[in-house]
Amino acid sequence: MASLRNASPRLRNYFKENYIPQVCEVLLCGLLVTCPQDPLKYLEEMIITIMKSGLKSLLWDMCIDPSMKPKIRRLSETYLEQLFGLDDQLMTPELMIKACTFYTGHLVKTYFCSWKDIVIPHINEDIKTEKIEKAIQYENFRLQKYIFCHWHSYVKGQKKQLKDTLLRIQQIFYSNKLAMILTKWRDKARYNYQKKDDELLLKHELQLRKWRNRIKYKRNAEEHFLFPDRSLSAISLVGEIPVCDISLLPERAILQIFFYLSLRDVVICSQVCHSWMSMTQISLLWNHIDFSTVKNVIMEKYIVSTLQRWRLNVLRLNFRGCSLRLKTLRSVSLCKNLQELNVSDCPTLTDESMRHISEGCPGVLFLNLSNTTITNRTMRLLPRHFHNLQNLSLAYCRKFTDKGLQYLNLGNGCHKLIYLDLSGCTQISVQGFRNIANSCTGIMHLTINDMPTLTDNCLKVLVEKCPHITSVVFLGAPHISDRAFKALSTCNLRKIRFEGNKRITDACFRFIDKHYPNINHIYMVNCKGITDGSLKSLSPLKQLSVLNLANCVRIGDVGLKQFLDGPSSIRIRELNLSNCINLGDASIVKLSERCPHLNYLNLRNCEHVTDLGIECIVNIFSLISLDLSGTDISNEGLMILSRHRKLKELSLSECYKITDAGIQVLTLAVCSDY
């Protein structure tokens, strides 16, 4: 292309308009080979010829120097006619021109392709070399970029690690600084606290010494007055305070002292000194371990170690409300002599943990599983392993079914069961109570509270095979009626507790009079159907000692007088008549005459009780606790009541007629007694 720059402007313009630069460069390279003397001259001639006559005038030997052209002799027409045997009619000028043109084009194509194959590789090598150089540069750049990215990531990670390390060191520094500050503050606080205690102890010690010196001096003066011949030297000097060491007390006395302490206090006492440590290691002290008092502070590993150490001495364990792991509950099985176990309100208690406990502690007598997630699997374990079980609480356990109660009759069964608590187990049906009756025929104490599904039929099927029931507690059982008492007539009841029942009437008390002559505890609270007739039915009872008829608003003075006229008034010790608004002073007068052993009396909100009735209450000399809240007494009644010498508890809330003067008189009377 450098040679073309020397050509005329006309050639250059024609070249730019009609030809591709690379093709012209190839032509020029070919001319350099065939016309080495003056290639530019032949190129200009060839291009001029092409411009004038077109590409048809292009001959195959135009670019060859005349001196290098081959010596070819032309054939005349006669030779051609003789050679091809053509006559005048077949060989026309047009065909001859066409044949020559084709032949010339074929030669041009043949030699031009051969010439291109020779010349173009040189051009391709230059282009290839340039591409290789560019490829090498690109590869070097890509490699540098790859290495730089790795280096950048590494440096970034190192910076982050360094930053985290510095932050951690800073946190450790601040933590150590805070620890040092807290340690110094704690030491200073302990020193001030100890100094304050020492000063207070010294002050009390000096006061005690002065007091003892005064008593000793007074005693010496009396002795000197009575025995004037005795020498003063025989009298010991005063001022020494004897030291009391409880470790010198008998073991029985030490046990009585430590029995009043909680588990946490016992552990603290064991860290005082060696003698106190030895006192806390008395085996009888660890017969009863109550972990429920320290459930929020004690670690489970200490529970396991304690049970492992005292496994042969532990008789009673209390885990109420403790959230323990399965491993910790397994350690209970080490206590082979365990008799009482309370795992109520333990959210982590499962059938698996109960399996380990039942296999290791066959001597359990009292078992409390209330408010846990046990199922029928645990119910199956009870008769298999706890052959001597007497007390069982399943209150608010709602995962077992009637079929689980049927398991109680497997193996040796739970025939020794005396106390059963099924409070809140609303999933139990009549069939479930029938299963209980078939399995636990020796039940004496039955507690079923907060069970709205309990009906008379449930009690009927239970009592048919459990005739030994002596006490029933049905608080929150609104569907129990008088028929239940008729069903219980075959039992020897001694204690009845009902609350919030509107279906119980006076008819049930007629059953009590006829069939329960030995009953001593009646608790019928908030039973609206009870009237004065019920009290009349209770009057023949000779063993009755506790009567609670609170919120039975239909009871009045007439019924209470009829009750007190009977033999039951002689043994009555507790009487609760709160919110019985129809009672007045006439009932109080009768109480003072017929209840010589009454200790507890509740007349809360009995608005008709006045100072006149208080005069009679003073005559009940055995009275210890009295509730007169909401009554109509005044200061005069308090003055009368102040003459009672055995009264220990007195409630006077909402007594609006009492003033400070009455309270002052009562206080002075109480203080004078002490």
Side-chain angles (χ1 to χ4, degrees):
M1 292 301 295
S3 301
L4 291 175
R5 293 189 186 98
N6 298 324
S8 62
R10 182 183 178 189
L11 290 177
R12 286 199 301 268
N13 293 333
Y14 183 83
F15 162 72
K16 291 179 182 179
E17 293 176 358
N18 298 281
Y19 295 94
I20 301 174
Q22 287 82 355
V23 176
C24 294
E25 187 175 357
V26 171
L27 293 174
L28 181 59
C29 293
L31 291 173
L32 291 174
V33 177
T34 56
C35 302
Q37 295 180 358
D38 194 0
L40 186 58
K41 177 182 177 182
Y42 288 98
L43 181 59
E44 289 181 357
E45 292 178 357
M46 183 177 64
I47 292 173
I48 291 170
T49 304
I50 293 171
M51 291 172 61
K52 290 180 179 181
S53 304
L55 292 175
K56 295 181 179 180
S57 61
L58 183 64
L59 299 177
W60 66 274
D61 56 351
M62 285 182 61
C63 299
I64 301 175
D65 187 53
S67 61
M68 298 179 65
K69 288 183 180 182
K71 306 297 183 183
I72 300 175
R73 185 168 57 86
R74 292 180 178 272
L75 296 177
S76 62
E77 295 179 359
T78 56
Y79 288 121
L80 288 175
E81 292 176 357
Q82 292 179 3
L83 180 62
F84 292 102
L86 301 175
D87 53 7
D88 295 338
Q89 296 178 354
L90 296 176
M91 194 60 168
T92 61
E94 290 81 4
L95 292 177
M96 285 295 297
I97 293 171
K98 187 175 182 180
C100 291
T101 303
F102 173 78
Y103 181 70
T104 304
H106 177 70
L107 290 178
V108 169
K109 181 179 179 181
T110 301
Y111 285 100
F112 182 78
C113 290
S114 300
W115 164 66
K116 184 177 69 173
D117 292 339
I118 295 173
V119 175
I120 286 178
H122 298 284
I123 301 172
N124 291 340
E125 288 179 359
D126 297 338
I127 297 173
K128 185 176 181 181
T129 303
E130 183 179 357
K131 288 184 178 181
I132 290 174
E133 291 178 356
K134 289 182 179 180
I136 292 173
Q137 291 178 1
Y138 173 75
E139 182 66 20
N140 292 336
F141 176 75
R142 191 181 66 83
L143 185 62
Q144 291 175 2
K145 182 179 179 181
Y146 176 77
I147 296 173
F148 178 77
C149 290
H150 278 276
W151 173 81
H152 181 265
S153 300
Y154 172 76
V155 172
K156 188 176 180 180
Q158 291 294 323
K159 287 184 178 180
K160 184 178 180 181
Q161 185 177 2
L162 180 61
K163 185 178 179 180
D164 294 340
T165 305
L166 292 175
L167 182 61
R168 181 62 179 165
I169 293 173
Q170 189 176 6
Q171 291 177 352
I172 294 173
F173 173 75
Y174 287 147
S175 299
N176 292 335
K177 186 177 179 180
L178 289 175
M180 293 174 63
I181 294 173
L182 289 175
T183 303
K184 291 182 179 180
W185 173 80
R186 183 187 61 188
D187 295 340
K188 185 67 176 178
R190 285 181 177 177
Y191 173 76
N192 294 334
Y193 184 74
Q194 187 67 30
K195 184 179 179 181
K196 184 178 179 180
D197 286 349
D198 293 342
E199 292 176 355
L200 187 61
L201 184 63
L202 180 61
K203 181 180 179 181
H204 289 300
E205 186 176 352
L206 292 176
Q207 290 180 354
L208 180 62
R209 185 174 297 179
K210 290 179 181 180
W211 177 72
R212 289 186 175 181
N213 287 337
R214 192 180 300 127
I215 294 176
K216 193 72 174 179
Y217 178 77
K218 185 177 180 180
R219 187 181 301 170
N220 291 339
E222 292 176 355
E223 290 181 358
H224 180 69
F225 177 75
L226 295 175
F227 306 99
D229 297 335
R230 181 177 294 182
S231 176
L232 293 175
S233 60
I235 302 174
S236 61
L237 297 177
V238 183
E240 297 181 358
I241 301 176
V243 179
C244 180
D245 188 1
I246 64 173
S247 62
L248 301 177
L249 296 175
E251 182 176 320
R252 184 177 179 183
I254 294 174
L255 286 175
Q256 291 297 324
I257 294 173
F258 280 96
F259 276 152
Y260 287 99
L261 302 179
S262 63
L263 178 61
R264 184 178 183 180
D265 296 333
V266 172
V267 174
I268 293 174
C269 291
S270 66
Q271 300 175 356
V272 174
C273 59
H274 290 288
S275 60
W276 284 51
M277 169 67 81
S278 61
M279 287 189 293
T280 58
Q281 301 304 312
I282 300 175
S283 59
L284 294 177
L285 188 62
W286 297 94
N287 287 344
H288 177 206
I289 304 178
D290 188 1
F291 289 108
S292 63
T293 58
V294 292
K295 60 184 177 181
N296 297 324
V297 295
I298 193 170
M299 299 178 65
E300 296 191 28
K301 63 179 181 180
Y302 296 129
I303 296 177
V304 176
S305 61
T306 302
L307 294 178
Q308 288 178 347
R309 182 172 185 179
W310 303 104
R311 59 186 181 276
L312 299 178
N313 302 98
V314 177
L315 299 178
R316 292 180 292 172
L317 277 178
N318 189 355
F319 288 104
R320 181 181 179 86
C322 298
S323 181
L324 305 175
R325 295 180 298 175
L326 177 62
K327 181 180 179 182
T328 306
L329 291 172
R330 283 182 181 179
S331 60
V332 179
S333 61
L334 300 174
C335 306
K336 304 297 182 181
N337 299 322
L338 187 65
Q339 296 181 2
E340 182 177 343
L341 177 62
N342 187 349
V343 288
S344 59
D345 299 321
C346 292
T348 56
L349 183 70
T350 59
D351 297 329
E352 182 67 18
S353 55
M354 279 303 303
R355 183 178 66 83
H356 293 283
I357 294 173
S358 60
E359 292 176 354
C361 307
V364 173
L365 302 177
F366 301 88
L367 181 60
N368 191 341
L369 299 174
S370 60
N371 199 18
T372 56
T373 58
I374 61 167
T375 63
N376 292 339
R377 293 177 57 191
T378 299
M379 302 299 291
R380 188 191 292 267
L381 296 172
L382 296 180
R384 290 184 177 180
H385 301 282
F386 298 137
H387 305 305
N388 300 318
L389 189 63
Q390 297 179 3
N391 190 310
L392 177 61
S393 177
L394 299 173
Y396 305 100
C397 296
R398 296 187 172 91
K399 294 296 183 66
F400 69 90
T401 61
D402 294 340
K403 187 176 181 181
L405 296 173
Q406 188 177 2
Y407 293 151
L408 296 178
N409 202 22
L410 297 177
N412 294 329
C414 295
H415 304 302
K416 295 183 180 181
L417 199 63
I418 297 175
Y419 175 86
L420 179 62
D421 189 353
L422 296 175
S423 301
C425 298
T426 55
Q427 76 277 11
I428 302 177
S429 63
V430 177
Q431 182 61 37
F433 282 96
R434 186 176 287 109
N435 296 335
I436 295 174
N438 295 331
S439 307
C440 312
T441 57
I443 294 178
M444 298 177 63
H445 307 284
L446 184 63
T447 301
I448 308 177
N449 298 329
D450 298 329
M451 195 166 177
T453 58
L454 185 66
T455 60
D456 297 333
N457 293 331
C458 297
L459 292 180
K460 184 178 179 180
V461 298
L462 182 65
V463 172
E464 287 177 355
K465 295 186 179 181
C466 299
H468 304 291
I469 297 177
T470 59
S471 69
V472 290
V473 181
F474 300 140
L475 306 182
H479 298 291
I480 296 296
S481 65
D482 298 334
R483 292 175 54 197
F485 286 91
K486 185 177 180 180
L488 290 169
S489 60
T490 58
C491 304
N492 187 17
L493 288 182
R494 295 175 181 269
K495 179 180 178 181
I496 298 175
R497 287 175 64 90
F498 278 86
E499 182 176 351
N501 194 303
K502 297 181 180 180
R503 303 182 65 183
I504 294 177
T505 62
D506 296 337
C508 73
F509 287 91
R510 287 194 288 271
F511 285 107
I512 294 175
D513 178 21
K514 295 179 181 179
H515 301 284
Y516 313 134
N518 298 322
I519 195 166
N520 55 27
H521 187 119
I522 297 178
Y523 181 96
M524 292 284 189
V525 175
N526 198 17
C527 296
K528 308 298 183 181
I530 297 176
T531 64
D532 292 337
S534 300
L535 288 176
K536 183 179 180 180
S537 301
L538 296 178
S539 60
L541 300 176
K542 298 180 180 180
Q543 304 295 329
L544 188 62
S545 60
V546 178
L547 179 62
N548 190 335
L549 298 177
N551 296 330
C552 297
V553 294
R554 300 176 66 181
I555 293 176
D557 292 334
V558 176
L560 187 58
K561 286 180 180 180
Q562 292 175 348
F563 168 75
L564 295 176
D565 287 336
S568 60
S569 60
I570 305 299
R571 298 179 62 89
I572 196 76
R573 295 182 180 274
E574 297 183 16
L575 183 61
N576 190 337
L577 299 171
S578 62
N579 294 316
C580 295
I581 57 178
N582 295 323
L583 295 177
D585 294 334
S587 300
I588 308 303
V589 174
K590 198 68 175 180
L591 278 172
S592 63
E593 296 175 356
R594 299 290 298 172
C595 301
H597 302 292
L598 188 63
N599 300 132
Y600 174 85
L601 178 61
N602 190 335
L603 299 173
R604 177 184 288 267
N605 295 330
C606 294
E607 301 174 353
H608 300 294
V609 176
T610 62
D611 297 338
L612 182 62
I614 301 301
E615 294 180 0
C616 300
I617 289 179
V618 176
N619 297 326
I620 307 176
F621 302 108
S622 61
L623 198 61
I624 297 175
S625 176
L626 178 62
D627 191 348
L628 296 174
S629 302
T631 57
D632 198 39
I633 66 171
S634 61
N635 293 337
E636 185 179 353
L638 280 185
M639 293 177 64
I640 298 171
L641 197 60
S642 63
R643 298 199 300 264
H644 200 290
R645 300 305 179 188
K646 291 186 178 181
L647 199 61
K648 295 182 179 180
E649 295 181 5
L650 178 62
S651 179
L652 298 170
S653 61
E654 299 181 7
C655 294
Y656 300 109
K657 291 185 178 182
I658 297 176
T659 61
D660 295 341
I663 298 296
Q664 186 176 4
V665 171
L666 181 64
T667 306
L668 292 175
V670 173
C671 294
S672 63
D673 294 338
Y674 291 95

